Amino acid sequence: MRTSALQYLYLQKPISTVILICAIALLPWLNSDFYTKGEPREASVAVSMIESGNWILPEVYAGEFAYKPPMAHWLMAIFSLPQGHVSEFTSRLPSALAQIILIGFVLAFFGKRIRFQEAFIATLLLLTCFEIHRAGITARVDMLLTTFTVLGLMQLYRWENKLELKGLPLIIPLLFSCAVLTKGPVGIILPAFVFLVYLLSLRKYTLAKILKSLLYISVSSLFLPMLWYIEAYRQGGEEFLNVILAENFGRFFHLSEANINYDLGHKEGVFYNFFTLLSGFIPWTLLFVFSLFGIDWRLPRKPVKQILQDIWKRFQSMEKMKRFSLIAAVCILFFYTIPSSKRSVYLMPAYPFLSILLAQYIIYITENRSKVTRVFACVLTSVVSIVFVAGLLIMTRAVDIPAIAGRYTAKASTLHSIESVTNAFSNDITSWIIMGLLLISIIIAIYQATKRINLKILYSTLLLTFCINLFIDGLVMRSIKNNSSARPFAEQIIEAYHPENNIYVMNDLREYGNLYGMNFYLGNTFRDFEKDKPSDGYLLIIEKDVKKFMEQYGARYKFEPLAVSERQGDLRSKAVLFRFDRQ
């Protein structure tokens, strides 16, 4: 009965099944506290939109405005309106829904154009890989941008394949307009570049026809965003223009940062993207690495010219969908090697296309070199089993991990992290359900490893990875986030001092660290000390910046220390609250 039910879901309701799996993997874990500075920085924009009524260029964190266009913040604010305030759940919800939509469309789109089994496995690889999964439970703009970009590229493929570039469908500029409104011009520049290379590879259209099509796409996709840019410039003026130029073109062309008051950051070398891509596809890159052993790496005894000609012929003979996926993945990876600023999330639009290629390769390995899949499954099962046993021992308090760790280190931050993880294993119903699912997945993986059906071994490792993600999100990371949050210190300040709108900070990212988490949990009420030059009030500052600040302002003001946070928070440094008066 169970087998027939699984077959029914797979054959009759595959998209619904994948969407349900994705929802289970994401939605229950959106409500934990913010523990990094990026998430509360984005969420505070939505807070300002609701409170000020300015949905174009709202002020956040001591008078600064958002660095990115407002699509993600609009959605955060809209989802928050029914409850009247922005929470961690509502600010992460756009990313989670974007990933669920992306997963469903990836299966629907590729399932009609390649072997359905390849598309189904590719979707599961995408759902369980580290980078995409992490982005789906994070209050950032990157998952939203990825979804709009990938869905737009899919529509471009359909436009060429079905209509041969005739009559531009409205959905294409609409999707890319949303992408531009999510993170700027890259939302149209990147897909236009991918589509340009793809059309050139077909050798079917004249260059004039290709350029004309790209012009139509670009102009129609920029119309709606330009309405926002014009109104935002009217409000923000030259300061807004400097930030937009720095964020969108300064990063790409390595331009000067002199016109903005912060460093663009994330500057990495050319090979950084390749390393982050490998880490982002964990654990499936490990299977890929396992498969490389035993391959005959001796080059064929042919001239280099002949080898290149053979590669080109194989590329030209590729199925159209596979060629499009390969071009999209390579172009996106190449595109993001150019900017000086590099981050792993920039590469996410390549993941759906890479997952198709990886799924095809993994299926080939599973069918033709089954030992590789079996070894990988055994290694993964062994590691997860050790994690399960360790978690069970901690949950039942059979071992005291913090006490053991204290024998080997006295570093406060390390002991705090260990204690946070240990506290995650409580005796509540959620913990036991997650541990139970993890145990079931281990048993299934061990059982399938004893059988001869290699594809079922692959599916059992997919289930195992899904359950380990539940384990990490539902137990480990939930506790780490809540124990590294700025919320307790913010609540302590509100209860003890009732500061209302009288908290000042130093808003100079070149010199001082910004307390975005504290700003969110204190209601987005921070004011700029340097700009306002107040006569009295409260000062909130990072502990390591106190000496620098006192050298500058200690002679002009009298500062009384009131409280110090117990935790280091998102900047890995404690926050200090002062009361001050002008001398």
Side-chain angles (χ1 to χ4, degrees):
M1 179 65 70
R2 186 183 67 178
T3 302
S4 61
L6 291 175
Q7 287 178 343
Y8 171 79
L9 291 174
Y10 172 72
L11 296 174
Q12 302 298 325
K13 303 288 184 180
I15 297 176
S16 300
T17 301
V18 166
I19 289 176
L20 178 61
I21 292 171
C22 194
I24 294 171
L26 300 176
L27 296 181
W29 323 119
L30 303 182
N31 211 31
S32 55
D33 285 358
F34 293 137
Y35 77 116
T36 63
K37 65 180 181 179
E39 288 189 281
R41 182 178 63 195
E42 304 296 347
S44 294
V45 180
V47 172
S48 183
M49 285 180 174
I50 292 176
E51 292 183 349
S52 70
N54 185 343
W55 290 60
I56 301 298
L57 199 66
E59 289 188 357
V60 293
Y61 200 90
E64 72 180 23
F65 49 78
Y67 300 155
K68 302 178 183 72
M71 176 60 73
H73 312 121
W74 284 343
L75 294 176
M76 292 178 192
I78 290 169
F79 291 143
S80 302
L81 283 176
Q83 65 184 22
H85 69 278
V86 179
S87 65
E88 295 90 348
F89 183 89
T90 56
S91 58
R92 289 169 174 151
L93 190 57
S95 293
L97 294 179
Q99 182 172 330
I100 293 171
I101 292 170
L102 175 66
I103 293 294
F105 271 92
V106 165
L107 181 57
F109 179 79
F110 287 106
K112 294 178 180 179
R113 292 165 175 82
I114 60 176
R115 286 173 54 194
F116 185 80
Q117 186 181 71
E118 293 176 350
F120 189 74
I121 290 177
T123 304
L124 297 180
L125 295 177
L126 189 64
L127 171 63
T128 54
C129 75
F130 170 74
E131 193 69 66
I132 296 295
H133 176 73
R134 179 182 65 166
I137 53 176
T138 305
R140 302 296 292 267
V141 304
D142 303 289
M143 191 71 248
L144 206 62
L145 174 67
T146 297
T147 299
F148 287 133
T149 302
V150 173
L151 265 57
L153 284 170
M154 290 176 180
Q155 295 303 316
L156 287 178
Y157 177 88
R158 292 181 71 249
W159 182 39
E160 188 285 322
N161 193 49
K162 285 191 172 184
L163 302 177
E164 296 184 330
L165 307 182
K166 298 174 184 176
L168 180 65
L170 180 62
I171 188 65
I172 293 175
L174 183 60
L175 285 168
F176 290 137
S177 292
C178 291
V180 175
L181 281 170
T182 301
K183 205 171 182 179
V186 70
I188 183 59
I189 294 173
L190 176 59
F193 171 61
V194 172
F195 198 49
L196 169 66
V197 176
Y198 174 67
L199 292 178
L200 291 174
S201 76
L202 294 178
R203 297 193 293 183
K204 180 179 177 181
Y205 305 99
T206 64
L207 182 60
K209 176 70 172 177
I210 293 173
L211 294 178
K212 183 180 178 182
S213 300
L214 293 176
L215 180 63
Y216 286 163
I217 296 168
S218 301
V219 171
S220 59
S221 300
L222 289 173
F223 176 74
L224 289 177
M226 284 306 298
L227 297 178
W228 174 80
Y229 276 105
I230 292 170
E231 179 59 23
Y233 176 72
R234 191 184 67 81
Q235 293 187 24
E238 187 176 347
E239 185 182 358
F240 167 77
L241 184 61
N242 289 336
V243 170
I244 292 300
L245 291 176
E247 286 286 335
N248 294 283
F249 300 101
R251 290 183 186 276
F252 198 85
F253 295 108
H254 306 231
L255 299 178
S256 170
E257 303 165 356
N259 292 328
I260 56 176
N261 66 348
Y262 60 94
D263 296 321
L264 292 174
H266 309 296
K267 295 178 181 179
E268 303 290 347
V270 174
F271 295 103
Y272 174 82
N273 284 343
F274 297 96
F275 293 128
T276 57
L277 193 62
L278 290 174
S279 62
F281 254 113
I282 284 177
W284 308 114
T285 43
L286 299 179
L287 176 55
F288 175 77
V289 171
F290 277 31
S291 71
L292 300 180
F293 293 97
I295 294 179
D296 185 0
W297 291 100
R298 290 176 295 181
L299 294 174
R301 296 180 178 178
K302 296 180 181 179
V304 175
K305 182 178 179 180
Q306 182 63 45
I307 294 174
L308 295 176
Q309 287 176 346
D310 291 344
I311 293 173
W312 177 249
K313 287 179 181 178
R314 292 182 65 179
F315 172 76
Q316 289 295 101
S317 62
M318 270 186 179
E319 298 174 2
K320 202 172 183 180
M321 188 71 258
K322 190 173 181 180
R323 180 194 294 193
F324 181 72
S325 298
L326 179 61
I327 289 173
V330 171
C331 286
I332 293 169
L333 184 60
F334 169 76
F335 183 86
Y336 282 115
T337 60
I338 300 173
S340 59
S341 180
K342 297 178 177 65
R343 295 184 66 220
S344 59
V345 291
Y346 294 170
L347 302 178
M348 288 201 309
Y351 277 67
F353 303 103
L354 284 171
S355 68
I356 294 297
L357 303 174
L358 184 59
Q360 293 173 334
Y361 178 75
I362 288 177
I363 291 173
Y364 170 81
I365 292 296
T366 302
E367 293 175 346
N368 297 280
R369 295 176 60 201
S370 58
K371 187 176 180 180
V372 172
T373 308
R374 288 177 177 273
V375 170
F376 172 74
C378 290
V379 171
L380 185 62
T381 305
S382 299
V383 172
V384 176
S385 298
I386 293 171
V387 171
F388 173 80
V389 172
L392 197 62
L393 291 173
I394 296 172
M395 184 178 290
T396 57
R397 299 301 185 258
V399 294
D400 189 349
I401 298 297
I404 296 173
R407 300 174 186 173
Y408 300 97
T409 180
K411 191 175 181 180
S413 59
T414 302
L415 292 175
H416 174 70
S417 298
I418 293 173
E419 186 178 1
S420 298
V421 173
T422 303
N423 292 337
F425 296 91
S426 58
N427 281 317
D428 60 13
I429 186 65
T430 302
S431 300
W432 283 111
I433 289 174
I434 292 173
M435 292 295 286
L437 291 173
L438 190 61
L439 178 60
I440 291 171
S441 68
I442 292 171
I443 293 172
I444 292 174
I446 294 173
Y447 174 77
Q448 292 299 339
T450 64
K451 301 298 180 180
R452 295 180 177 272
I453 305 177
N454 298 320
L455 201 58
K456 286 189 176 181
I457 296 176
L458 176 59
Y459 277 111
S460 70
T461 59
L462 285 162
L463 174 62
L464 196 62
T465 305
F466 174 79
C467 290
I468 197 65
N469 283 342
L470 290 182
F471 174 83
I472 292 171
D473 295 329
L475 292 180
V476 180
M477 289 307 299
R478 180 180 62 173
S479 180
I480 289 176
K481 290 176 181 180
N482 291 339
N483 282 278
S484 301
S485 169
R487 180 197 291 273
F489 190 47
E491 292 176 345
Q492 176 188 338
I493 292 173
I494 293 171
E495 183 178 352
Y497 305 105
H498 308 287
E500 297 181 353
N501 297 328
N502 205 26
I503 296 182
Y504 292 85
V505 293
M506 291 295 289
N507 189 18
D508 182 356
L509 280 175
R510 292 188 186 274
E511 298 293 336
Y512 296 90
N514 280 16
L515 294 157
Y516 289 108
M518 291 296 297
N519 179 57
F520 176 80
Y521 288 115
L522 285 168
N524 190 40
T525 59
F526 285 179
R527 300 164 71 177
D528 191 337
F529 184 92
E530 195 169 26
K531 180 179 179 181
D532 292 355
K533 295 181 174 55
S535 58
D536 59 72
Y538 296 90
L539 173 74
L540 194 60
I541 191 170
I542 297 170
E543 190 176 45
K544 64 183 179 65
D545 291 337
V546 170
K547 182 180 179 181
K548 183 195 312 180
F549 177 84
M550 291 302 175
E551 290 174 354
Q552 186 175 359
Y553 291 100
R556 286 177 273 174
Y557 289 86
K558 178 183 177 181
F559 292 94
E560 177 191 357
L562 299 178
V564 180
S565 63
E566 295 181 0
R567 304 169 183 175
Q568 293 188 344
D570 51 19
L571 289 175
R572 308 298 180 259
S573 180
K574 293 182 179 181
V576 184
L577 179 70
F578 292 91
R579 180 185 285 119
F580 66 86
D581 294 285
R582 189 188 296 272
Q583 296 196 81

